[in-house]
Amino acid sequence: MTKNDLFLRAARGESVERTPVWLMRQAGRILPEYRALRGQLSGFKELVETPALASEVTIQPVDALDVDAAIIFSDILVVPDAMGLPYEMVEARGPLFPNVIKTAADVDRLSIPDPEDKLGYVLEALRITKKALNGRVPLIGFAGAPWTLLAYMVEGHGSKTFSKARGLLYTDPKLAHALLAKITATTIAYLQAQVAAGAQVVQVFDSWAGTLPPAHYREFSSRYISEICEALAPLVPVTVFAKGAWFAVEDFAAMPCRTIGLDWTEDPAAVRRAAPGKTLQGNLDPCALYGTPEQVRDATEAMLRQFAGGPHIANLGHGVYPDTNPERVKVFVQTVKGFRG
Ligand code: CP3
């Protein structure tokens, strides 16, 4: 089998024959084969915690969509779960934490677990997947950024404002730092274990970055992401995707991450200027995939042209929306593959 290492080379900043492409949330509800498997199970957690099944859905988009990378099927919320704060995934609603973090005693009760002990199911899924892929495409590992995990652990569920979590940064910054430090230590050990289990690139998702004012972002988020990058960069290329954090691009430019992920509101040319030498990843608006095949092609080519002048990994600006037609995703992927800028 010919090995496709385009994504890995672009993630290292090496030159490539064409732009590699994958999609955040490519493994999931857009694929009928995912929904079929998921429908036979008790819930999302069963899928995440059964390595053979997690591996199967990791590879589904590689077969169905012809993407240049696989991302391990899991969730960012497995980390709080492993630390002693369990989550539930409520059908059609999203994540829910029955208990939340309110006091210093709550933080003290959390552990910094041994990843093999508490997250062995993810590591086993990585090992099985790496073997099954046999070099077909590179395998991406991931974790949530400490701030985004804190947001769920304090709030208990998704929120438009994350006002409880943001409020904590004003009312009890000491407690917030104690929690962030514990999450960071857990995440570093977890990502190192993912690399040992076969992850060739790791991505840190800071989905709620854009909810913070720049000074708070620096104090409560980017410094912890920087610690994670410093620990992982000697092992594998690291990607930071911080949604809405256009104001922090200079911080990311100064970190040992190799790739910066852009959401669809960011200007690729401006990020290139602010972060010379980095690989950029993104950033088609997921809504562009609601268009006709011709509209998807045009929007994708316009996006690709904006990234000229440096290494690029094509992706959406956030996860693909569940009501997206997989046929349009294929048009996106094939347009990238056929593009010669
Ligand atoms: O294909 C992939 O990208 C890998 C799998 C993956 C999932 N979650 C699977 C999933 C990844 C990388 C994540 C990351 C994740 N999880 C993030 C960061 C990225 C982002 O989108 O901002 C966040 C914030 C979460 C937390 C989470 N998990 C939420 C808010 C939800 C509910 C909303 C939703 O999208 O359904 C989930 C559930 C979830 N995680 C699903 C999948 C496929 C849907 C669950 C189902 O099958 O019903």
Side-chain angles (χ1 to χ4, degrees):
M1 194 197 302
T2 47
K3 309 220 180 227
N4 172 357
D5 64 351
L6 282 168
F7 166 80
L8 200 53
R9 279 154 53 205
R12 291 186 190 129
E14 296 168 12
S15 69
V16 282
E17 302 80 70
R18 66 159 173 86
T19 303
V21 55
W22 69 283
L23 290 87
M24 292 185 277
R25 294 291 188 99
Q26 63 189 18
R29 289 163 300 179
I30 62 161
L31 294 178
E33 48 273 51
Y34 172 87
R35 289 199 300 269
L37 175 61
R38 176 79 168 68
Q40 295 166 16
L41 306 174
S42 61
F44 178 75
K45 275 189 116 168
E46 185 184 352
L47 183 50
V48 164
E49 292 171 7
T50 310
L53 299 179
S55 174
E56 185 180 331
V57 296
T58 299
I59 295 172
Q60 281 174 353
V62 180
D63 293 328
L65 306 171
D66 208 20
V67 286
D68 294 312
I71 180 162
I72 194 65
F73 187 84
S74 186
D75 201 88
I76 62 169
L77 303 178
V78 300
V79 163
D81 197 278
M83 294 174 75
L85 201 73
Y87 73 96
E88 295 165 8
M89 200 58 81
V90 185
E91 288 304 321
R93 297 208 59 182
L96 177 75
F97 285 88
N99 304 304
V100 293
I101 302 296
K102 287 188 178 134
T103 65
D106 296 335
V107 176
D108 287 344
R109 268 193 296 274
L110 296 172
S111 68
I112 299 171
D114 173 353
E116 279 294 348
D117 181 23
K118 294 287 188 213
L119 291 158
Y121 57 90
V122 182
L123 304 176
E124 183 60 12
L126 282 159
R127 286 188 283 262
I128 295 173
T129 307
K130 187 74 177 293
K131 206 162 167 223
L133 284 171
N134 191 26
R136 206 170 143 198
V137 292
L139 180 57
I140 306 169
F142 72 89
W147 157 248
T148 286
L149 293 182
L150 176 150
Y152 283 108
M153 294 166 84
V154 168
E155 207 79 27
H157 44 72
S159 160
K160 278 212 172 90
T161 58
F162 281 99
S163 53
K164 287 194 188 76
R166 282 165 51 216
L168 181 74
L169 308 186
Y170 293 93
T171 58
D172 200 344
K174 218 174 129 220
L175 178 71
H177 280 301
L179 178 52
L180 291 163
K182 260 187 158 164
I183 298 170
T184 302
T186 302
T187 301
I188 287 172
Y190 176 45
L191 287 175
Q192 286 169 336
Q194 288 191 37
V195 173
Q200 291 157 286
V201 167
V202 295
Q203 177 159 328
V204 178
F205 286 89
D206 204 358
S207 304
W208 304 115
T211 62
L212 294 183
H216 266 183
Y217 191 70
R218 216 152 270 145
E219 184 182 346
F220 295 101
S221 189
S222 61
R223 57 179 275 198
Y224 293 101
I225 294 176
S226 186
E227 278 183 40
I228 294 169
C229 290
E230 271 151 35
L232 270 296
L235 306 176
V236 288
V238 181
T239 300
V240 175
F241 172 69
K243 190 171 173 291
W246 49 270
F247 53 78
V249 167
E250 267 110 10
D251 296 18
F252 302 138
M255 288 179 198
C257 65
R258 265 287 334 138
T259 299
I260 300 176
L262 279 67
D263 71 53
W264 69 90
T265 68
E266 293 177 85
D267 173 15
V271 179
R272 276 249 187 268
R273 282 193 297 276
K278 299 287 190 191
T279 298
L280 305 186
Q281 178 173 276
N283 77 339
L284 186 70
D285 184 345
C287 292
L289 300 183
Y290 294 141
T292 63
E294 191 159 74
Q295 288 170 326
V296 171
R297 239 182 332 263
D298 289 349
T300 302
E301 287 182 353
M303 180 274 287
L304 289 166
R305 280 192 287 271
Q306 289 186 290
F307 282 91
H312 179 212
I313 295 164
N315 204 310
L316 303 181
H318 198 199
V320 61
Y321 296 138
D323 60 349
T324 303
N325 179 349
E327 292 305 317
R328 297 300 186 269
V329 175
K330 289 186 201 170
V331 174
F332 168 67
V333 170
Q334 292 310 319
T335 303
V336 176
K337 290 190 167 186
F339 185 77
R340 296 289 180 277

